[in-house]
Amino acid sequence: MPRKYLIDVAAKTATEVWNYDQNTISDICSGAYEDGANNYLVDYAIAGGLGSSDTMAELVGLSGGQKVFDYAFATNFCEKIFNAAPIHLEEFEATAPEDGRLGNISGRSRVGSGGNAMIGGFVVRGVDRKEIIIRGLGPTIAPYLTDAVVTNPKITLYDSAGQILANDDYGPNSLVTAKGLTPGSSSESVLATSLIPGNYTVILENSNVSSGIGLLEIYETNRDESHLIDLSARGQVVSSDQVLIGGCIVARVALTSSSGLSVPV
């Protein structure tokens, strides 16, 4: 039971002036935080008590002495709540450190050669050059599929003037390694480059005559005013594992206070 005392140092006395009891047992790690007159956040780190078969972490909010919320969720020991404290949202400003941008765009389909290649289009918008990594994968995704994958994927990058770069077999690259994007097989393809704002096309094809499922990925590797804004994909559309699938990752927004505390949401 959380209690509040008035301490008289001279008289060496302690007088209880507030308490709260909702008959919740929490032996250790718990606490109460006062946030203004009669406003408290009470955390029960192990609601139910040590040795209980159904231990919960529980947060109780009191405003003006009245309960305004009571939220509980499963826990083991003190791993979920310890010395909880309230955060004033009115002190925070919503910011998008990554501009709510697309951090990754991808397409997956059946890939062959010639007219059966997969074609991806994307746009870099802004004023600065954009560092990107493009990957063409086959063997790396094999464990997740029942159909055969493209065994020797090749990627070729184009702008409106023609071919810029191409890669058939991956070779060691420090930026790719630093970003954790090294492919699972050296027969797969990776391009690490810097592009001016504009429209681009990537062709993913199989260097062999056979066809299989392939994955084309494009990653931003730096954060500046330029960013990826679009992905289009053209590929063979069949069924089961051979359908055409598009994917993207959108950067998260954060709440940032004047004190510098940042909370991703």
Side-chain angles (χ1 to χ4, degrees):
M1 176 193 297
R3 294 180 171 90
K4 180 181 178 181
Y5 293 89
L6 177 63
I7 307 295
D8 187 331
V9 177
K12 297 182 180 180
T13 61
T15 304
E16 182 178 301
V17 294
W18 173 84
N19 69 68
Y20 176 76
D21 185 14
Q22 64 173 26
N23 297 317
T24 298
I25 299 173
S26 184
D27 309 85
I28 59 173
C29 301
S30 304
Y33 189 103
E34 184 177 26
D35 186 49
N38 294 318
N39 293 336
Y40 301 91
L41 177 67
V42 183
D43 68 88
Y44 299 98
I46 313 178
L50 287 170
S52 172
S53 59
D54 185 24
T55 55
M56 304 288 286
E58 187 171 357
L59 288 170
V60 176
L62 305 171
S63 178
Q66 300 300 311
K67 183 190 293 186
V68 292
F69 66 82
D70 189 337
Y71 178 61
F73 49 96
T75 188
N76 290 311
F77 202 61
C78 299
E79 63 183 28
K80 300 294 184 182
I81 298 177
F82 187 77
N83 289 337
I87 295 176
H88 287 260
L89 293 182
E90 66 271 17
E91 297 176 356
F92 282 76
E93 177 183 359
T95 60
E98 298 178 358
D99 198 24
R101 68 182 69 200
L102 295 173
N104 163 246
I105 48 182
S106 63
R108 196 205 80 182
S109 75
R110 187 166 188 81
V111 175
S113 57
N116 292 322
M118 180 180 175
I119 302 175
F122 66 96
V123 178
V124 175
R125 173 174 290 177
V127 296
D128 301 317
R129 297 187 70 91
K130 169 56 55 183
E131 290 183 358
I132 64 167
I133 291 176
I134 305 172
R135 304 202 304 176
L137 304 181
T140 293
I141 63 175
Y144 310 102
L145 301 170
T146 56
D147 285 358
V149 298
V150 58
T151 56
N152 191 11
K154 175 184 177 180
I155 52 177
T156 308
L157 175 66
Y158 297 84
D159 64 8
S160 58
Q163 179 177 326
I164 303 173
L165 293 168
N167 181 251
D168 192 355
D169 296 309
Y170 174 73
N173 182 285
S174 58
L175 177 60
V176 174
T177 301
K179 296 298 180 180
L181 295 175
T182 302
S185 170
S186 61
S187 67
E188 295 172 308
S189 301
V190 182
L191 290 174
T193 186
S194 174
L195 301 175
I196 63 173
N199 301 332
Y200 296 90
T201 299
V202 184
I203 294 181
L204 171 62
E205 57 188 328
N206 196 355
S207 292
N208 300 328
V209 294
S210 61
S211 63
I213 307 301
L215 176 64
L216 175 64
E217 300 179 315
I218 306 169
Y219 291 89
E220 282 196 347
T221 59
N222 66 329
R223 293 291 181 256
D224 53 27
E225 293 302 317
S226 298
H227 52 278
L228 299 173
I229 64 167
D230 177 53
L231 171 70
S232 61
R234 193 215 74 176
Q236 299 179 68
V237 180
V238 193
S239 59
S240 185
D241 280 345
Q242 301 181 48
V243 298
L244 176 62
I245 300 175
C248 67
I249 297 175
V250 179
R252 295 196 300 175
V253 173
L255 294 177
T256 306
S257 73
S258 56
S259 65
L261 176 64
S262 181
V263 182
V265 295

